[in-house]
């Protein structure tokens, strides 16, 4: 059983880690992790809904 | 000289004429006289492209997008021709171990010779677990890269001051790069930053061998030395008391001042009105939206709510009374215009009044 880790995954926006377990030349299990969290949902709590777009449009700039 | 920036531009189809236009435009952005254009041109003709390591932390990649869409001098991706972008996760081919090796190679083999560019804030809460790259926290990553860099440049409000990631209640304890690595960090804030300011900083570094003059927040004065409100093309409307009172009203259609709708131009320092965006096409206020002071520290709380009129700024007495002052001037103007038999003044008096809270 071999473990493969690809981190950072490039050519994407954000931070991603891929981990896979290989057995007999086949991937038998895999995990994807987003390795960055800002909590924009938490930041939005209690704010005026009319301002929400200015925040949520900054979740991804690509 | 083979391998110079100029050679690289030529081999990518840029003409001598476009090259010199770029040098002139950059000198203008930097606030330099036209006599400095030959010096800039000479530097770019002789110098090799500097290596750039571009790191991403808690961010949206909007600043990279901004740079990839830079277009002066009439070519796309000019910055990619001026710098040698050797590490940039969004556009580089290697991933995983190969990417880590590439970063390691640059910071060891080119120690003291590369420019480090940071995009995104650094989360510090809970030991920095909210941003990992290749198994390292953003805190460790930026400290490691900064140590061998010839210059550290933070791009976008997140990397400069924490930005939106640090907005209240700052769930991940985000901070700007300077707070983590210390020393001199050149900040090019904005959400996103304006790519022409980035290009100008790089050209200044190549031409004069030093960073441009900075303000107390580490921002280059050529770009952040003037108040948006003082340079705004809608300023005459402010002075005449001609305010937009409601979205889509007559004043909005006529391009009047957005102060009453929440414009934060009076607290924001940046050169947006001068260089604008997308090849000088437009900028938010020109497009009819209030400024949100995106290059100001903590703007997501201090300039908030974005659609509420700014008032009571400490030390700037006229701000609290701007409406009254503006209206006072408007009455005077109306009288003067009426005396000349014009009808414009009548229109001015018809502007509907509201409680000044914006949002209608």
């Amino acid at each position: 059983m071999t473990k493969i880790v690809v981190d950072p995954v490039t050519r994407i926006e954000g931070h991603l880690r891929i981990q896979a377990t290989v057995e007999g030349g086949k991937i038998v299990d895999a995990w994807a992790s987003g390795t960055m969290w800002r909590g924009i949902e938490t930041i939005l709590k209690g704010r005026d809904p009319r301002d929400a777009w200015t925040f949520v449009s900054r979740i991804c700039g690509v | 000289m083979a391998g110079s920036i100029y050679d690289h531009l030529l081999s990518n189809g840029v003409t001598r004429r476009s090259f010199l236009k770029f040098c002139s435009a950059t000198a203008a952005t930097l606030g330099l006289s036209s006599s400095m254009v030959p010096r800039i041109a000479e530097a770019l003709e002789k110098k090799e492209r500097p290596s750039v390591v571009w790191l991403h932390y808690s961010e949206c990649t909007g600043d990279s997008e901004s740079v990839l869409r830079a277009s002066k001098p009439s070519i796309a991706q000019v910055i990619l021709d001026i710098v040698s972008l050797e590490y940039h996760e969004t556009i580089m081919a290697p991933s995983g171990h190969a990417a880590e090796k590439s970063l390691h190679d640059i910071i060891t083999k080119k120690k003291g010779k590369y420019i480090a560019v940071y995009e995104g804030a650094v989360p510090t809460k809970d030991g920095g677990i909210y941003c990992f790259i290749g198994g390292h926290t953003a805190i460790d990553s930026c400290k490691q890269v900064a140590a061998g860099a010839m210059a550290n440049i933070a791009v976008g409000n997140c990397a400069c001051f924490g930005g939106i990631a640090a907005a209240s209640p700052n769930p991940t304890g985000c901070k700007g790069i300077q707070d983590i690595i210390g020393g001199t960090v050149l900040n090019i804030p904005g959400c996103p930053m304006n790519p022409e300011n980035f290009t100008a900083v790089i050209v200044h570094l190549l031409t004069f061998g030093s960073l441009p003059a900075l303000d107390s927040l580490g921002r280059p004065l050529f770009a952040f030395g003037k108040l948006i409100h003082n340079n705004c093309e809608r300023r005459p409307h402010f002075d005449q008391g001609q305010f937009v009172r409601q979205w889509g009203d007559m004043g909005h259609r006529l391009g009047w001042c957005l102060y009453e709708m929440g414009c934060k131009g009076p607290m924001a320092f940046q050169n947006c009105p001068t260089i604008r965006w997308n090849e000088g096409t437009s900028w938010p206020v020109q497009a009819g939206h209030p400024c949100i002071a995106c290059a100001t520290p903590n703007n997501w709380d201090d300039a908030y709510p974005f659609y509420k009129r700014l008032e009571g700024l400490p030390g700037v007495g006229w701000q609290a009374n701007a409406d009254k002052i503006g209206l006072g001037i408007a009455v005077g103007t109306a009288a003067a215009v009426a005396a000349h038999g014009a009808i414009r003044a009548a229109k001015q008096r018809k502007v509907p009044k509201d409680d000044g809270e914006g949002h209608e």
Side-chain angles (χ1 to χ4, degrees):
Chain A
M1 195 170 75
T2 318
K3 189 176 89 173
I4 298 173
V5 176
V6 182
D7 180 12
V9 175
T10 56
R11 281 155 285 142
I12 56 156
E13 192 283 310
H15 300 281
L16 182 68
R17 173 190 175 98
I18 296 289
Q19 192 175 321
T21 310
V22 183
E23 234 175 71
K26 280 189 178 174
I27 292 177
V28 293
D29 211 346
W31 298 264
S33 323
T35 58
M36 185 270 282
W37 184 79
R38 287 166 292 170
I40 304 270
E41 305 88 337
T42 311
I43 291 167
L44 276 173
K45 277 186 187 166
R47 294 187 190 256
D48 191 320
R50 289 169 291 195
D51 291 310
W53 75 269
T54 55
F55 289 80
V56 298
S57 64
R58 266 83 180 181
I59 288 172
C60 177
V62 173
Chain B
M1 179 181 158
S4 72
I5 294 162
Y6 181 54
D7 287 333
H8 191 79
L9 287 166
L10 283 187
S11 66
N12 281 292
V14 177
T15 62
R16 175 82 188 160
R17 184 181 171 81
S18 296
F19 171 68
L20 290 174
K21 270 170 77 178
F22 167 72
C23 294
S24 303
T26 307
T29 304
L30 285 167
L32 299 172
S33 78
S34 56
S35 63
M36 294 309 287
V37 175
R39 192 159 164 196
I40 290 174
E42 190 187 0
L44 297 183
E45 278 165 358
K46 290 183 177 168
K47 301 244 166 111
E48 286 183 33
R49 297 188 302 154
S51 297
V52 168
V53 173
W54 190 299
L55 298 151
H56 297 257
Y57 300 130
S58 285
E59 47 83 50
C60 72
T61 316
D63 301 287
S64 291
E65 283 292 324
S66 190
V67 161
L68 295 172
R69 272 144 191 73
S71 51
K72 281 183 182 171
S74 72
I75 52 163
Q77 303 184 343
V78 66
I79 291 165
L80 299 182
D81 291 324
I82 287 178
V83 300
S84 173
L85 199 49
E86 299 191 13
Y87 184 90
H88 187 299
E89 284 151 20
T90 319
I91 54 176
M92 68 195 288
S95 346
H97 294 302
E100 286 196 273
K101 182 179 182 304
S102 139
L103 179 60
H104 180 260
D105 285 353
I106 300 159
I107 64 175
T108 50
K109 291 177 188 165
K110 295 191 174 174
K111 194 172 178 186
K113 292 179 183 161
Y114 62 85
I115 297 169
V117 177
Y118 308 90
E119 179 176 357
V122 180
T124 59
K125 198 174 171 185
D126 301 328
I129 60 166
Y130 298 105
C131 182
F132 271 99
I133 307 104
H136 307 286
T137 62
I139 300 173
D140 291 341
S141 166
C142 67
K143 281 182 179 169
Q144 187 191 19
V145 172
M150 67 177 276
N152 289 296
I153 301 176
V155 299
N157 238 32
C158 295
C160 295
F161 311 121
I164 190 169
S168 175
N170 194 354
T172 59
C174 270
K175 290 183 176 177
I177 295 294
Q178 211 276 338
D179 285 342
I180 307 295
I181 63 174
T184 302
V185 175
L186 184 140
N187 285 328
I188 310 178
C191 194
M193 69 144 169
N194 194 310
E196 287 174 38
N197 290 335
F198 179 74
T199 321
V201 164
I202 299 291
V203 169
H204 190 285
L205 196 57
L206 292 170
T207 308
F208 304 104
S210 63
L211 294 175
L214 306 178
D215 69 7
S216 60
L217 295 168
R219 306 181 295 188
L221 281 169
F222 73 80
F224 299 94
K226 288 181 181 165
L227 204 56
I228 284 186
H229 185 57
N230 292 350
N231 265 352
C232 181
E233 68 248 26
R234 296 189 183 216
R235 178 58 187 265
H237 296 296
F238 175 87
D239 292 339
Q240 292 178 41
Q242 295 175 322
F243 297 107
V244 177
R245 304 277 180 180
Q246 203 175 330
W247 300 119
D249 70 7
M250 183 190 70
H252 199 209
R253 292 197 296 276
L254 291 174
W256 286 3
C257 177
L258 293 158
Y259 173 76
E260 291 286 337
M261 301 304 282
C263 186
K264 300 303 183 295
M267 65 176 278
F269 288 85
Q270 197 171 185
N271 53 359
C272 302
T274 319
I275 62 171
R276 302 178 184 173
W277 295 79
N278 301 320
E279 294 178 73
T281 304
S282 188
W283 65 291
V285 168
Q286 185 181 347
H289 191 275
C291 169
I292 63 167
C294 73
T296 305
N298 210 26
N299 74 305
W300 297 97
D301 294 304
D302 290 353
Y304 187 84
F306 296 127
Y307 299 112
K308 189 175 179 193
R309 184 178 68 172
L310 177 72
E311 52 192 337
L313 274 190
V316 193
W318 60 266
Q319 302 258 354
N321 296 316
D323 191 29
K324 286 178 192 163
I325 293 168
L327 283 175
I329 293 169
V331 171
T333 309
V337 177
H340 286 83
I343 57 164
R344 191 175 294 260
K347 282 184 183 173
Q348 196 166 304
R349 285 195 297 270
K350 279 184 190 168
V351 174
K353 288 178 186 171
D354 62 13
D355 61 2
E357 292 292 311
H359 275 324
E360 286 297 326

